[in-house]
């Protein structure tokens, strides 16, 4: 029985498109790595068992092609991602150094397919928004904001956000990007640092913290000057303080910039208790940002991002999916395939702890004043002439992909052929996908504290990268172990594999390969410059050294 959904009073009904690809749970960064794509399937399981599928349209997006990825990324980088595998990675040692693929961003089975699914959902969501097929598009597999034009960074390989924004820019003169991840959205800011057609606003932890960018005085250059906003925050940020700075800043941004569409990166590593985060924001405090941005009524693309305590990630994104659909989910977790991970209380809420908030009122007011002063320098929304909107073959397909369906009044029952085409395959959410051969599940060592083995465990990103303070660059390439014919020993309580204590079993199902290329070509400038480097102000901590 599905848990309750309570309609939100005064909420205008929105057309919501929700993107999910069941293959996403088949990817695994490696033992001990904090990024776990399975969290997206955990969220989807909550979405389905709460009954949210009744409130929105669910799509499986076409994976992005190499050609589509090169709208932002360099050709040689995309080609490298498509070719490297754990089997042949020893032949790409030089390229791994060049493209920063190593410990933070490891090589794993299906790497390119994983990137294609993430980017495809964001681009498809942006395309449907631009063509007025929906009011809100959601892709929790997206939001990988650290990837650069020719470099992987912070668990991100392909920047689906930039690709989605480029799609939106074909139909909208101005796009606003808002980032509420605990880490600075450096990849997106850098991509649009020299243009006024995209304003980026990032609220993040700053000071000896990955990626070491996002300083208060990083405001853009050239035509993009004052169109990059950064709000550096300190440890322990509370709901009350977050709301006190987020709402007035975004209110002024909307009044000053007047965007045609909004992209919201909903990274949940800003939640209290996240394994890599340092804020003390509750689920409702995080969701308040989503609710406030939605209230402006602009076309909205909601994307995932960071989040490394999986039971909290899935709770928060499921709750925010409900807000997008105009309902508030009930407090009790419904029975689902990951039900045991939500114990012992089996409640939806993620609450704040008693962590001290280092963001004083004086500090927040001072930073807010500086950010609002940068906004005043923009002088109102910039004017962009758009006389010719480019069109390609995909535009004709997207013009009305479900023409017959759209002719049917919403209150009339759909034909059986349409209902059949939307059915999920039997057993798609069964546990069998998460089991290994001979019905054996992967085992973790729960004798060690936090499930971390004390000997022989391979640690990712030791002393550098997103999993620690310091350098923004990875250690280097990971060398593949030689393949032997000796069978692997059975897992035991003394295993040296570093696993998370709350990590669901890894799916053994391989992702489907991306289909043939299509031509979703964007008309956007490829003249992208690096972010301007400036000395930190006296009021902020020293940034991490690159």
């Amino acid at each position: 029985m599905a848990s309750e959904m309570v309609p939100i009073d005064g909420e205008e009904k929105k057309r919501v498109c929700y993107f999910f690809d069941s293959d996403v749970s088949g990817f695994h960064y490696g033992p001990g790595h904090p990024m776990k794509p399975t969290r997206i399937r955990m969220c989807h399981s909550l979405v389905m068992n709460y009954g949210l599928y009744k409130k929105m349209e669910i799509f499986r997006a076409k994976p992005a092609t190499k050609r589509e990825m090169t709208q932002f990324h360099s050709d040689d980088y995309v080609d490298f991602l498509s070719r490297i595998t754990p089997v042949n990675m020893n032949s790409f040692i030089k390229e791994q150094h060049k493209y920063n693929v190593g410990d933070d961003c490891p090589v794993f089975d299906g790497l390119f397919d994983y990137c294609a699914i993430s980017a495809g959902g964001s681009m498809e969501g942006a395309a449907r928004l631009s063509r007025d097929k929906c009011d809100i598009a959601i892709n929790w597999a997206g939001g990988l904001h650290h990837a650069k034009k020719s470099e992987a960074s912070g668990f991100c390989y392909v920047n689906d956000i930039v690709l989605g924004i480029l799609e939106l820019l074909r139909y909208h003169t101005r796009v606003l990007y808002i980032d509420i991840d605990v880490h600075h959205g450096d990849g997106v800011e850098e991509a649009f640092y020299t243009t006024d057609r995209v304003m980026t606003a990032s609220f993040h932890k700053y000071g000896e913290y990955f990626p070491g960018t996002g300083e208060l005085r990083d405001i853009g250059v050239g035509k993009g000057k004052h169109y990059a906003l950064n709000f550096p925050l300190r440890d322990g940020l509370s709901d009350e303080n977050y709301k006190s700075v987020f709402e007035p800043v975004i209110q002024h941004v909307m009044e000053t910039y007047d965007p045609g569409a909004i992209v919201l990166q909903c990274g949940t590593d800003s939640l209290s208790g996240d394994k890599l985060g340092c804020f003390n924001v509750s689920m409702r405090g995080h969701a308040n940002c989503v609710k406030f941005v939605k209230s402006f009524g602009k076309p909205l693309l909601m994307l995932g991002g960071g989040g490394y305590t999986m039971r909290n990630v899935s709770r928060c994104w499921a709750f925010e999916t409900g807000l997008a659909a105009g309902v508030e989910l009930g407090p009790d977790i419904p029975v689902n395939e990951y039900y045991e991970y939500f114990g012992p209380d089996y409640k939806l809420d993620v609450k704040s702890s008693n962590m001290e908030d280092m963001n004083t009122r004086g500090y927040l007011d001072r930073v807010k004043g500086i950010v609002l002063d940068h906004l005043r320098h923009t002088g109102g929304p910039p004017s962009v002439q758009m006389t010719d909107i480019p069109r390609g073959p995909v535009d004709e397909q997207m013009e009305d992909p479900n023409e017959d369906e759209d002719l049917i009044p919403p209150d009339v029952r759909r034909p059986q052929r349409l209902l059949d085409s939307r059915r999920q395959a039997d057993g798609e959410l069964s546990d069998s996908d998460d089991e290994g051969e001979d019905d054996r599940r992967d085992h973790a060592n729960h004798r060690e504290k936090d499930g971390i083995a004390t000997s022989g465990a391979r640690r990712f990103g030791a002393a550098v990268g997103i999993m620690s303070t310091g350098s923004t660059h990875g250690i280097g390439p990971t060398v593949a172990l030689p393949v032997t014919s000796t069978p692997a020993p059975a897992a035991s309580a003394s295993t040296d594999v570093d696993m998370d204590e709350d990590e669901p079993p890894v799916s053994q199902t391989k992702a489907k390969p991306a289909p043939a290329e299509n031509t979703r070509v964007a008309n956007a400038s490829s003249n992208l410059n690096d972010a301007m480097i400036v000395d930190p102000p006296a009021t902020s901590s020293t940034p991490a050294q690159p």
Side-chain angles (χ1 to χ4, degrees), residues 76-77 80-81 83-108 111 150-153 157 458 473-480:
D76 55 347
Y77 175 58
F80 163 76
L81 291 178
R83 291 166 57 196
I84 191 167
T85 67
V87 175
N88 66 14
M89 61 191 297
N90 286 340
S91 303
F92 292 93
I93 298 297
K94 182 179 179 180
E95 288 84 356
Q96 289 183 67
H97 279 289
K98 178 181 179 181
Y99 300 124
N100 194 31
V101 172
D103 287 279
D104 269 6
C105 302
V107 178
F108 56 86
L111 169 59
S150 300
E151 180 183 316
S153 177
Y157 304 85
R458 183 177 183 281
H473 213 66
I475 290 178
T478 304
V479 179

Side-chain angles (χ1 to χ4, degrees), residues 386-463:
M386 294 184 68
T387 57
D388 183 24
I389 298 176
R391 293 181 61 82
V394 72
D395 292 294
E396 298 178 3
Q397 300 173 21
M398 285 300 301
E399 199 63 47
D400 210 343
N402 300 305
E403 182 177 1
D404 294 339
E405 179 183 355
D406 291 344
L407 295 176
I408 305 172
D411 296 330
V412 175
R413 182 176 177 84
R414 270 28 177 186
Q416 190 62 41
R417 64 178 181 82
L418 288 177
L419 298 179
D420 290 342
S421 67
R422 289 183 174 182
R423 288 187 59 197
Q424 285 189 312
D426 292 336
E428 182 162 323
L429 296 179
S430 71
D431 285 339
S432 60
D433 287 343
D434 299 319
E435 297 176 358
E437 296 178 359
D438 300 323
D439 294 331
R440 291 182 295 104
R441 289 183 175 270
D442 296 321
H443 296 278
N445 183 357
H446 297 288
R447 292 186 176 182
E448 305 296 342
K449 184 178 180 181
D450 296 330
I452 299 176
T454 57
S455 63
R458 183 177 183 281
R459 299 299 296 160
F460 284 79

Side-chain angles (χ1 to χ4, degrees), residues 11 33 35 70 95 202 242 246 306 312 336 374 409 419 435 457 461:
E11 280 280 337
H33 199 289
M35 175 61 100
T70 56
E95 288 84 356
S202 180
Y242 205 176
F246 182 84
N312 291 347
N336 64 89
H374 290 326
L419 298 179
E435 297 176 358

Side-chain angles (χ1 to χ4, degrees), residues 32-103:
H33 199 289
M35 175 61 100
K36 298 175 176 63
T38 308
R39 67 203 176 126
I40 301 162
R41 180 162 169 169
M42 289 180 69
C43 171
H44 182 69
S45 184
L46 287 179
V47 165
M48 297 302 289
N49 284 281
Y50 264 108
L52 279 172
Y53 61 88
K54 304 171 186 176
K55 303 290 183 180
M56 56 194 184
E57 291 184 287
I58 299 179
F59 295 94
R60 183 175 189 171
K62 185 177 182 179
T65 64
K66 291 172 63 175
R67 180 177 178 181
E68 290 168 346
M69 293 179 186
T70 56
Q71 292 175 52
F72 170 60
H73 294 285
S74 63
D75 292 1
D76 55 347
Y77 175 58
V78 173
D79 184 62
F80 163 76
L81 291 178
S82 68
R83 291 166 57 196
I84 191 167
T85 67
V87 175
N88 66 14
M89 61 191 297
N90 286 340
S91 303
F92 292 93
I93 298 297
K94 182 179 179 180
E95 288 84 356
Q96 289 183 67
H97 279 289
K98 178 181 179 181
Y99 300 124
N100 194 31
V101 172
D103 287 279

